[in-house]
Amino acid sequence: MNNTVFGLTMLIVGMGGTLGTLFLITLIIRALCLFFPVRPGAGEETK
Amino acid sequence: MSEAILSALGALFEGARFLFSQGGPNLVMIAVACLMFWLAIAKDVEPLLLLPIAFGCLLVNLPLSEVMHADGVLRTLYDFGIGNELFPLLIFVGIGSMTDFSPLLANPRLLLFGAAGQLGIFITLLLALALGFSKEEAVSVAAIGACDGPTVIYVSNMFAGMERIPTAMVGALAVAAYSYMALVPVIQPPIMRLLTTRKEREVKMASPRGKVSKAALIAFPIVVTAITGIVAPKGLPLMGMIMLGNFMKVTGVVPRLASAAENEIANIATLFLGLAIGGTMAGPQFLTRETLMVFGLGLIAITIDTAGGILLGKLWYLLSGGKVNPLVGAAGISAYPMAARLVQTEGQRWNKHNYLLMHAMAANTGGQIGSVMAAAIMLSLLKGLGII
């Protein structure tokens, strides 16, 4: 495999894979928050 | 008798003779060590790492030093904890224990900034290949874009162990990674101002939603570890250790272990790792054209990371009708919590009533996960392509 093909493969699959995996984790966090909801009104302490 | 005294005295001056006859590269590296001492002590630039690295660099470059010979003290440390990637992983347990993922769980969409903040890794990989680096060298250089010293050391040392990259390159990469992490407050603000309008920088974001439940905080590290194991198993040690540290902290049932991970284990591993990395910086092997290129490409990587995050922020600003401040995107790198604090400072510079810190913390912890995930995916791709 030459360097150009290798680099472009890493760019497309690597960046796409990172974005896709983090998006999947985002969805799972949202699902988690459905089961264990964020408690409203306690946000002040995070300021 | 006089001959014996003269030859004994000659032995004492052998080091000086070496230094002034063929020790030019060593002298340069001793000057580099002094520069690192100055940066660490006078300028507070990553002193935890830079100080031991500089001392290791000094030790290995003193004339006729044997610290990196077989059974030398730095070689022993190197073989004990760098050669098998143990020290970076132990540091990750500490980092996990120090990290608070609750802002991210309160606002999970900001995790995507952590992906955009890794753009520099992959663009730099292309640039390094174009400049003639081998595939393994290019991946190692690109890892600087993760803005994460232990990740860079883990990835590059894996290749050094396979003799695919020179050992001296590990030292150059580590120093470049830690230097640029420390220089984030210098590198990022001009890029932030260049890529955003005043109106965008002044955007006030709504306060975070509230307090995240403990159950979600406990489930999070397990979920991320499981997903990494399934998607990118080659990077599982990296993500597994960071999540182990966090898991111990959030469960609250092993405070002594969490405290040890955060303090004793991380401190000892940092000291030994710094010394051993400094030991790889022997002048004749370190002073090469490639080292200069590594530093140049590292700067490009972090610049593109920042730009990637901000550009995603600008897109989000447009799609949300101006509710997202694009500056938050700049925190999507792994330099935690420095990048988040920088976003807060920069946001308040343009709007005194702006509190971006918790949003930036969410993006910043997303950047930590994103950088490790990007490295994990790169390693798994290399395995899939049959390169490692």
Side-chain angles (χ1 to χ4, degrees), chain B residues 356-378:
Chain B
L356 297 174
L357 186 62
M358 293 319 289
H359 302 287
M361 280 289 193
N364 207 180
T365 47
Q368 279 196 310
I369 295 175
S371 67
V372 177
M373 188 62 78
I377 284 177
M378 275 203 300

Side-chain angles (χ1 to χ4, degrees), chain B residues 131-322:
Chain B
L131 286 170
F133 283 99
S134 70
K135 293 182 178 75
E136 293 86 350
E137 287 172 342
V139 169
S140 303
V141 174
I144 298 176
C147 288
D148 194 346
T151 302
V152 173
I153 294 168
Y154 183 88
V155 170
S156 59
N157 194 69
M158 183 179 283
F159 298 135
M162 297 171 184
E163 298 184 356
R164 305 278 185 90
I165 70 167
T167 306
M169 200 173 176
V170 179
L173 289 161
V175 173
Y178 280 109
S179 305
Y180 289 134
M181 273 170 67
L183 289 173
V184 159
V186 179
I187 297 170
Q188 283 202 322
I191 305 168
M192 289 173 169
R193 288 168 211 162
L194 187 71
L195 293 181
T196 54
T197 62
R198 186 181 180 116
K199 191 180 165 198
E200 288 169 341
R201 292 193 290 269
E202 287 176 346
V203 170
K204 271 184 80 174
M205 289 177 71
S207 294
R209 289 194 290 163
K211 191 167 169 56
V212 176
S213 80
K214 187 173 176 182
L217 283 169
I218 290 174
F220 179 71
I222 298 173
V223 166
V224 174
T225 305
I227 291 176
T228 309
I230 294 165
V231 176
K234 282 295 282 179
L236 187 57
L238 285 170
M239 192 65 91
M241 290 300 111
I242 204 166
M243 290 301 153
L244 167 67
N246 189 255
F247 187 62
M248 290 194 297
K249 178 188 172 185
V250 295
T251 55
V253 294
V254 283
R256 281 166 47 200
L257 294 186
S259 168
E262 192 175 332
N263 297 293
E264 291 86 354
I265 294 173
N267 289 342
I268 292 170
T270 300
L271 171 64
F272 290 169
L273 177 133
L275 277 172
I277 290 295
T280 65
M281 296 172 69
Q285 290 83 40
F286 191 86
L287 293 175
T288 60
R289 196 173 63 98
E290 282 74 23
T291 301
L292 281 178
M293 282 159 56
V294 162
F295 276 81
L297 286 167
L299 180 61
I300 291 171
I302 291 181
T303 303
I304 297 174
D305 282 345
T306 307
I310 293 172
L311 291 176
L312 178 65
K314 284 173 79 79
L315 179 66
W316 215 321
Y317 169 84
L318 287 174
L319 295 177
S320 66

